[in-house]
Amino acid sequence: MAVFVVLIMLDYFMLQRVQSSLGLKFGLAVGLYLLLFSAIVSMALFYYLRSQAIRDAADKTEIIMTQTHSLGDYVRDTLRPTMADILRRNKSQEDFIIEAMSTTHISHEVMRRFNAELPDYSFKRSSPVPLNPRNRSDAFHERMRLFFEEHREMSSWRGIESVGGKEILVFARPVVSDQSCLWCHGSEKNVPKSLRERFGAEARYGWLPNAVVGVESVSIPLDVAFAKAQRIATDTFLFGFFVLFILFLGLSLTFRHLVAKPLDTLSARFRNIASGAEPLTGSSEAERSDEIGELNNSFNLLARHLLEAEEKLRKTAELEKQLMHTEKLAALGQLSAGVAHEINNPLGGIKLCFNNLQSTQMDPKTREEHIMVVNDGLDRIQTIVRQLLDYAKNAPLSIQPVSLNEIVEKVLQLADYTLENRGIVLRTDLDAGLPPVAIDANKMEQVLLNLIINAVQAIEGTGTIHVRTYRDDHVCVVAISDSGPGIPHEIVDRIFDPFFTTKEVGEGTGLGLTVSKAIVEQHGGTLSVDTAPGGTTFSVRIPEVS
């Protein structure tokens, strides 16, 4: 039984580890179970036939033992007294006709003739003190005599013994002496003279009445019956396994047609849709009304839901892109005064130089100096316009390893006039050893510029903005702090919600922080806030380039 449990557990673990098709797993499972079933049936048949052979042998040995015992009783109770009476009448008390009066001799002679027809059966009547030396007990029969002597209530014993590598069924009974037995086996001086002369000095005497003086047994070999049972069980196993194998082939083909093949078709559709070779709209109606058909219908329903979700995601992405661009333009509007100032200053210098060049006679050196001032002013205007165009363009996400410090410096250049005009002191603390990060520089500029503008608007009157970069456990951080009054505790959890704003009408869209948070998360980073009555700090955390 333990072997079968081990086989079932082995089958389970093999099925768990097999990385192959459902059909192969099904075939392996059914094959192992059929093998197990055939083995169980064959073993059950073998043990049944074995037990049946033992019962048949036991019945036969009991019949033979009963026959020999009845024959001995007849000799002891009828034939021996009659022959003794005849000998007394003939005054031949010293004679003993062993062929007609000895139960042991007659039993052995009858069984000898019986064995001529059925040689497998063996009868033995033995004693440790026999009259005939040939009937002396061997080790087994002496052990049985001692057993019956210790258990006088036992009238018989049956068991299987191994003799010479063969299993033999033995049926044994005790030989209990009575008064009539002492005529031949009692005191030597009372034994008939003819017996003393026949068996000579090797004869043994001294039986006592009502004693276990020996054992009589009938034995039959079981190895032939067991071999036959084993042969029948083996033939049954082979025949049963062959029949079950044919059944297994039929089941496998049926399973392949009804289950595996439709599942392969669905799996191929999954792969084609995942690889883009087949559109989500390419659903096929189920041709069956069973569980596989239901599975196909469920797959079609899932495909339709995925198609709808894909369309919603596309529209959401377009809307998010538009919102980001809108917020970027709103930030440019906040910087418009500073941008105009940055362009107006070099334009004034350029105009003055042109007037001087047109109306004034100059030496070559002075003329060269005026031309240089004009070129510097034009370069300054070109740089400002290029920065604005780079910032305002609506380009797709382009991830490149860049320096956060360079992006911070570029953003601060755009916000420089706004900070100066508001009388806000800018403090920077940029970590020169900051490693590059994989980001879209244009998108990150939008985030940082929005945070700078929010910091400016949070300060009432003059104040300070502190911008610093540092490294924190393989993460690059940009922290922007202001000296404003801080964000009220009751609204701090809502500041990233779309369209939530505390600014005056026209100062903000309510999307700046929402868009900024989305951009940072697109880069695998986080945007967090830490506020108190003395000011607020927004921290942008971006993982390093691995």
Side-chain angles (χ1 to χ4, degrees), residues 160-233:
I160 298 176
E161 290 288 317
S162 180
V163 179
K166 296 181 179 181
E167 290 184 294
I168 298 175
L169 179 70
V170 179
F171 184 79
R173 280 183 174 177
V175 176
V176 180
S177 61
D178 58 15
Q179 194 64 38
S180 65
C181 298
L182 303 184
W183 186 13
C184 301
H185 299 278
S187 176
E188 182 178 0
K189 62 182 179 179
N190 297 325
V191 175
K193 179 180 178 182
S194 60
L195 291 179
R196 295 198 305 270
E197 292 176 350
R198 180 169 183 164
F199 296 111
E202 292 185 2
R204 295 290 182 269
Y205 310 95
W207 285 15
L208 299 176
N210 197 31
V212 180
V213 293
V215 172
E216 56 182 0
S217 67
V218 176
S219 60
I220 180 173
L222 295 175
D223 54 328
V224 175
F226 287 172
K228 182 178 180 181
Q230 185 174 6
R231 185 172 61 256
I232 293 174

Side-chain angles (χ1 to χ4, degrees), residues 37 63 67 108 114 143 257 279 382 384 402 414 446 468:
F37 176 76
I63 291 173
Q67 188 269 338
H108 280 130
F114 182 84
R143 188 170 75 249
H257 177 71
Q382 185 182 31
I384 294 171
V402 296
L414 289 173
Q446 179 180 346
R468 65 190 185 105

Side-chain angles (χ1 to χ4, degrees), residues 485-497 500-503 513 529 531 536 538:
I487 303 172
H489 179 71
E490 60 271 13
I491 68 170
V492 71
D493 292 334
R494 301 173 56 197
I495 61 175
F496 293 107
D497 294 345
F500 177 79
T501 181
T502 59
K503 300 174 184 178
L513 289 177
V529 61
T531 186
T536 300
F538 282 90

Side-chain angles (χ1 to χ4, degrees), residues 76-126:
R76 184 188 67 237
D77 299 335
T78 303
L79 190 57
R80 183 189 297 163
T82 301
M83 293 300 297
D85 185 60
I86 293 173
L87 291 175
R88 278 195 301 272
R89 285 200 301 270
N90 292 328
K91 297 181 180 180
S92 301
Q93 290 87 346
E94 291 296 320
D95 292 330
F96 187 90
I97 305 174
I98 192 170
E99 290 80 1
M101 302 174 68
S102 171
T103 57
T104 300
H105 182 83
I106 293 173
S107 296
H108 280 130
E109 284 298 314
V110 169
M111 285 304 301
R112 184 174 63 80
R113 289 167 172 77
F114 182 84
N115 289 145
E117 298 294 331
L118 297 173
D120 290 337
Y121 296 88
S122 174
F123 174 81
K124 185 175 181 65
R125 183 182 177 98
S126 62

Side-chain angles (χ1 to χ4, degrees), residues 199-414:
F199 296 111
E202 292 185 2
R204 295 290 182 269
Y205 310 95
W207 285 15
L208 299 176
N210 197 31
V212 180
V213 293
V215 172
E216 56 182 0
S217 67
V218 176
S219 60
I220 180 173
L222 295 175
D223 54 328
V224 175
F226 287 172
K228 182 178 180 181
Q230 185 174 6
R231 185 172 61 256
I232 293 174
T234 302
D235 293 342
T236 302
F237 170 78
L238 295 176
F239 177 76
F241 185 75
F242 174 75
V243 173
L244 293 175
F245 179 73
I246 299 299
L247 177 62
F248 163 70
L249 289 180
L251 289 174
S252 297
L253 292 175
T254 304
F255 179 84
R256 172 65 184 168
H257 177 71
L258 295 179
V259 180
K261 189 175 180 180
L263 289 180
D264 287 341
T265 302
L266 278 178
S267 178
R269 287 187 59 201
F270 270 117
R271 289 193 298 269
N272 291 337
I273 290 174
S275 63
E278 181 178 339
L280 282 171
T281 54
S283 60
S284 60
E285 294 299 325
E287 299 177 355
R288 298 161 54 171
S289 59
D290 55 10
E291 289 81 357
I292 298 296
E294 287 295 323
L295 179 61
N296 190 74
N297 290 333
S298 299
F299 173 76
N300 291 336
L301 180 62
L302 175 62
R304 286 194 291 270
H305 283 302
L306 288 176
L307 182 62
E308 293 172 0
E310 184 181 48
E311 183 65 21
K312 289 179 181 179
L313 284 175
R314 185 185 63 79
K315 292 180 179 179
T316 302
E318 291 179 356
L319 180 59
E320 186 181 68
K321 187 176 180 181
Q322 292 173 3
L323 289 176
M324 289 182 180
H325 190 58
T326 300
E327 181 59 28
K328 184 183 291 186
L329 295 177
L332 284 176
Q334 299 288 333
L335 295 174
S336 58
V339 171
H341 177 77
E342 290 294 325
I343 294 177
N344 190 56
N345 283 342
L347 281 177
I350 291 171
K351 183 178 180 181
L352 179 59
C353 288
F354 269 117
N355 288 336
N356 290 337
L357 287 171
Q358 289 176 346
S359 61
T360 306
Q361 293 294 329
M362 300 178 184
D363 57 74
K365 181 179 180 182
T366 304
R367 183 181 179 84
E368 184 67 29
E369 289 176 353
H370 277 65
I371 293 174
M372 187 178 297
V373 171
V374 171
N375 286 334
D376 290 342
L378 290 174
D379 289 341
R380 173 64 175 163
I381 293 172
Q382 185 182 31
T383 299
I384 294 171
V385 171
R386 184 175 64 251
Q387 289 178 343
L388 289 174
L389 291 175
D390 289 343
Y391 177 75
K393 66 182 179 181
N394 191 14
L397 197 67
S398 177
I399 304 296
Q400 298 291 336
V402 296
S403 169
L404 270 180
N405 288 341
E406 293 179 1
I407 294 176
V408 170
E409 291 171 350
K410 191 173 181 180
V411 170
L412 292 179
Q413 287 179 6
L414 289 173

Side-chain angles (χ1 to χ4, degrees), residues 41-82:
V41 171
S42 300
M43 292 189 68
L45 179 62
F46 169 72
Y47 283 110
Y48 170 76
L49 294 175
R50 186 177 186 273
S51 62
Q52 189 65 37
I54 293 174
R55 283 196 298 270
D56 291 344
D59 293 341
K60 292 175 181 178
T61 55
E62 188 170 1
I63 291 173
I64 294 173
M65 179 63 76
T66 302
Q67 188 269 338
T68 56
H69 193 71
S70 299
L71 180 62
D73 290 345
Y74 173 76
V75 171
R76 184 188 67 237
D77 299 335
T78 303
L79 190 57
R80 183 189 297 163
T82 301

